[in-house]
Amino acid sequence: MIHTGRHFLQIPGPTNVPDRVLRAMAQPVIDHRGPEFAKLATEVFEGLRPVFQTSGAVIVYPSSGTGAWEAAIVNTLSPGDRVLMFETGHFSQLWRQLAESIGLQVEYVPGNWRSGVSPTEVESRLAADKNHAFKAVMVVHNETATGVTSRLPEIRRAMNQARHPALLIVDAISSLASIDLRHDEWGIDVTICGSQKGLMIPPGLSFHAISERALAANKSAKFPRSYWDWQPMLQQNRTGFFPYTPPTNLLFALREALQMLQEEGLPNVFRRHRRHAEAARAAVRAWDLEIVCEEPLEYSATTTAVFTPQGHDADRLRKIILENFDMSLGAGLSKLAGKVFRIGHLGHFNDLMLAGTLSGIEMGLRLAGVPHKDGGVMAALDSLAPSGRVAEPAASLK
Ligand SMILES: Cc1ncc(COP(=O)(O)O)c(C=O)c1O
């Protein structure tokens, strides 16, 4: 089938890369040991700190997010250490598997894949750990598989309440630069991110923001490490360099994307994501379909996961939408495969892209014969532009 116009990439990452960023990448590769590179890297590190809301160190790895998961562990922990993790969905499951495969003992608190980490559970598990056997609490902030955002400030409070010294290690791969995350204020020790979601650049970079406590833990952490080791990175980064060949053109992209985030202003970025998520949920409710996240306080601002009615394969719906409307939606992952489709509404995104996305879904539901009510798109438009509302300057619509 021939498609015209632009493909709609509405998976919850990788996300659409702005033209400005694509143009910034399309440059000759420069000497990664020369002064132009040092300036680029220094600007990137300066631009990243406000996005993580930290005044501390930020590390950039040439890797996917999974690499940064492993890097966080080997830099702060030792073989056989006990850690506390929570079953929020597919990504918490993968992180647990990685942690166990490299030698951590994981206490994995079961969950139903429809809600986030329970702060009460954090407090009670830590309070019961009188000998402080747990060395880290590891949390997926935004579970991309389910569209559920765990309440980090409450989790931090629960850890404080239990007076437990465990490190707090957070996967912010599908939340950073889209959902508020305050590395310093919320006492996070390692915040992990990837390039391909809220940061609006292609896959290939991952990140750590690191607390002073994490740096202290690094000194006694016994896991073998070389490529991931913070120390040579931090040392070289001080002068704007890397201990190995960095992905120069992804850093050109990142500098431009950070500039865009700064121009919009982080509070506006967060507000925009919340507003689009709310409109997406209005559509889902009007279709009379079920949202996977069952806790309104934990609705994700970047991803809405939706159940198809029983007996109606979500992958068939996605296939019909791809073939007919050239739009990619996120698949249901592991135990949600075939039962769920996921709408990514994050990164480089606006009202009309959301309206187009929801139109593609509504037409797809019809073509696929999935039982639903009409009017989802209209409900979203009402949410974005309530009738009777007098037009305001565009900026205030955000
Ligand atoms: C929350 C979360 N954690 C981890 C990952 C894994 O990252 P990557 O695929 O970049 O290795 C993803 C990827 O989508 C994710 O959404």
Side-chain angles (χ1 to χ4, degrees), residues 335-357:
K335 75 176 193 186
L336 298 179
K339 297 184 175 138
V340 159
F341 66 92
R342 294 174 300 142
I343 313 167
H345 33 71
L346 70 159
H348 183 54
F349 198 56
N350 63 30
D351 289 15
L352 292 188
M353 290 165 85
L354 179 65
T357 301

Side-chain angles (χ1 to χ4, degrees), residues 7-297:
H7 174 70
F8 265 58
L9 181 66
Q10 295 318 136
I11 59 176
T15 60
N16 295 290
V17 177
D19 293 354
R20 241 177 98 171
V21 171
L22 291 173
R23 280 194 296 273
M25 285 177 76
Q27 292 190 48
V29 177
I30 57 173
D31 173 10
H32 63 290
R33 303 198 195 281
E36 197 183 339
F37 183 86
K39 182 170 176 294
L40 168 67
T42 305
E43 284 172 13
V44 162
F45 289 125
E46 272 167 18
L48 279 169
R49 279 192 201 97
V51 175
F52 282 90
Q53 304 191 51
T54 183
S55 56
V58 175
I59 289 222
V60 180
Y61 290 115
S63 87
S64 87
T66 304
W69 268 350
E70 180 165 333
I73 293 171
V74 298
N75 272 293
T76 57
L77 300 170
S78 300
D81 275 354
R82 280 177 70 75
V83 296
L84 185 60
M85 296 183 83
F86 298 83
E87 181 182 9
T88 49
H90 176 73
F91 290 104
S92 75
Q93 197 120 294
L94 289 182
W95 200 9
R96 172 214 187 168
Q97 282 163 12
L98 183 152
E100 286 179 340
S101 72
I102 63 174
L104 290 177
Q105 290 184 58
V106 179
E107 183 159 315
Y108 193 54
V109 180
N112 68 356
W113 292 42
R114 301 197 64 178
S115 53
V117 174
S118 154
T120 321
E121 196 70 42
V122 172
E123 187 173 342
S124 65
R125 299 261 172 171
L126 293 184
D129 178 34
K130 301 279 181 232
N131 299 327
H132 297 165
F134 289 126
K135 300 301 174 208
V137 175
M138 292 160 57
V139 171
V140 176
H141 183 205
N142 185 70
E143 177 53 77
T144 326
T146 61
V148 172
T149 306
S150 286
R151 288 166 275 164
L152 282 179
E154 288 179 49
I155 292 167
R156 176 77 258 176
R157 260 197 298 282
M159 292 177 72
N160 294 348
Q161 203 70 29
R163 297 179 193 284
H164 198 289
L167 296 172
L168 176 57
I169 303 180
V170 172
D171 168 345
I173 290 174
S174 63
S175 59
L176 194 89
S178 309
I179 298 171
D180 197 8
L181 180 140
R182 306 177 191 182
H183 177 84
D184 287 358
E185 187 183 323
W186 296 351
I188 305 171
D189 293 296
V190 186
T191 300
I192 298 162
C193 192
S195 53
Q196 72 272 30
K197 310 214 185 220
L199 289 172
M200 308 183 288
I201 71 172
L205 294 181
S206 69
F207 308 90
H208 283 170
I210 305 169
S211 73
E212 287 298 325
R213 289 184 70 229
L215 279 175
N218 180 249
K219 300 236 157 63
S220 53
K222 299 272 184 314
F223 267 117
R225 53 187 178 268
S226 171
Y227 184 80
W228 302 122
D229 197 348
W230 283 343
Q231 292 307 330
M233 268 291 213
L234 290 170
Q235 195 196 340
Q236 296 267 334
N237 287 171
R238 263 177 228 126
T239 47
F241 297 107
F242 281 67
Y244 35 70
T245 313
T248 319
N249 289 45
L250 282 175
L251 296 172
F252 283 135
L254 182 57
R255 177 168 63 182
E256 191 68 17
L258 291 169
Q259 179 65 33
M260 289 178 71
L261 288 169
Q262 200 216 321
E263 285 165 15
E264 186 177 356
L266 267 194
N268 294 328
V269 172
F270 301 148
R271 210 170 301 129
R272 164 166 63 82
H273 281 82
R274 285 198 301 270
R275 183 169 165 273
H276 286 150
E278 205 175 301
R281 290 193 299 273
V284 177
R285 289 194 193 99
W287 290 325
D288 205 18
L289 297 180
E290 195 176 348
I291 295 168
V292 173
C293 179
E294 59 184 10
E295 168 54 74
L297 288 174

